[in-house]
């Protein structure tokens, strides 16, 4: 099993574009103890919303996957909602920011910040 296949089976995938952006943001923070944490929390107009932030904590049960030197951490409660999800970074004239393509989402809101 490849690293990417294993990450898909266990949690999220971080694209090369997203890994490069996260690496740049971490370099700007000048901290090497931070990881990118993705979580799912109740809220938003569709029932659940994504949280994407830097975190230095290590929580028991976390799933930690590494992509091009970037650690992506998912807590054990969020993991079932995020298995196979892909985090990307887009930078176009129409849109800039991180996107999450989640095969587990059965629907989402118009703003794209929440899902069910």
């Amino acid at each position: 099993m490849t690293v990417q296949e294993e990450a898909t089976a266990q949690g999220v995938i971080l694209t090369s574009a997203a890994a490069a952006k996260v690496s740049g943001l971490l370099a700007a923070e000048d901290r090497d103890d931070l990881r990118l944490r993705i979580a799912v929390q109740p809220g938003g107009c569709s029932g659940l919303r994504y949280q994407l932030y830097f975190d230095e904590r290590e929580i028991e049960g976390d799933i930690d996957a590494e992509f091009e030197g970037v650690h992506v951490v998912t807590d054990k409660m969020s993991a079932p909602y995020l298995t196979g999800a892909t985090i990307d970074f887009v930078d176009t004239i129409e849109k800039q920011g991180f996107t999450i393509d989640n095969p587990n989402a059965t629907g989402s809101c118009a703003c794209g910040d929440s899902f069910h």
Side-chain angles (χ1 to χ4, degrees):
M1 184 180 294
T2 67
V3 173
Q4 186 146 345
E5 288 170 340
E6 185 176 337
T8 301
Q10 294 181 7
V12 299
I13 297 168
L14 192 66
T15 66
S16 292
K21 183 63 176 179
V22 171
S23 291
L25 292 170
L26 288 172
E29 290 288 325
D30 195 27
R31 292 190 52 191
D32 60 2
D33 63 331
L34 296 176
R35 297 170 197 82
L36 179 65
R37 182 175 289 277
I38 181 167
V40 173
Q41 298 291 322
C45 49
S46 290
L48 296 170
R49 70 178 303 148
Y50 299 111
Q51 288 189 323
L52 200 61
Y53 57 97
F54 292 127
D55 195 3
E56 71 276 350
R57 296 174 300 159
E58 292 184 32
I59 301 170
E60 185 177 334
D62 276 350
I63 296 169
D64 186 345
E66 185 177 346
F67 302 91
E68 299 179 32
V70 173
H71 285 267
V72 179
V73 181
T74 308
D75 65 85
K76 64 183 175 183
M77 298 300 285
S78 298
Y81 296 102
L82 297 167
T83 300
T86 301
I87 303 171
D88 195 10
F89 184 79
V90 294
D91 189 2
T92 67
I93 195 165
E94 298 170 338
K95 185 177 185 179
Q96 181 183 41
F98 289 97
T99 63
I100 301 171
D101 180 21
N102 188 348
N104 303 302
T106 58
S108 63
C109 63
C111 66
D113 287 339
S114 65
F115 69 98
H116 63 272

